[in-house]
Amino acid sequence: MTRIPILLLAAGRSSRMGGADKLLQVVDGAPLLRRAARIALDAGPVWVALPPAPHPRYTALAGLDLMTVPVPDAEEGMNASLRRAVFSLPKDTLAAMVLLADLPDLTTEDLAKVMRAVDPGSAIRIWRGATEDGAPGHPVVFHHALFPELLALEGDAGAQSVVARHKDRLRLVPLPGQHARLDLDTPEAWTAWRKARG
């Protein structure tokens, strides 16, 4: 299956960054958010959940062929973004990939590998990226049968409760190294990542 919509969640506040916006940190000559969006666009159509405009993150995405989804209740947490993004999808969507914008090691090939595992006709309902040693991470593809549960989520816990309820219908897809789990939420994490990257 190809052309699965990708929901890029980018409406959070970067509250652990000491006032800086982690999604506007420059990586490979571009803001992390723009880099993540480009990687996603090479794998499928992209919907980006964003804080209400005006916001610098819109500028970071200027010129890219994607859908922006304003999240006026972003202060609630991640599930406000999930609800808004899922609701904005075409009604005939068979599955959707949820992708966090602060995972700097994920590649287009990683996203494509998870997508290639998706079979909407199977008994599986969740396809989830994992580290090479099997620790669950991102991205996560949800079958459309689970969309009502995603639309009912509240708070900032993400879709963990949905994943837990359907753990017997989940398939892990190993990705290289720690691609599926390495996120950059603090200045210290950024410093360590840049040092390791050289």
Side-chain angles (χ1 to χ4, degrees), residues 16-41:
R16 298 170 61 195
M17 282 292 290
D21 188 337
K22 66 182 176 182
L23 298 186
L24 298 182
Q25 297 295 303
V26 175
V27 178
D28 296 334
L32 178 62
L33 175 57
R34 186 175 185 88
R35 181 174 178 270
R38 284 174 170 167
I39 287 168
L41 282 166

Side-chain angles (χ1 to χ4, degrees), residues 1 115-125 127 143 171:
M1 181 181 180
M115 288 182 178
R116 287 194 296 268
V118 175
D119 177 4
S122 73
I124 302 298
R125 288 294 177 262
W127 297 263
H143 189 280
R171 177 181 171 186

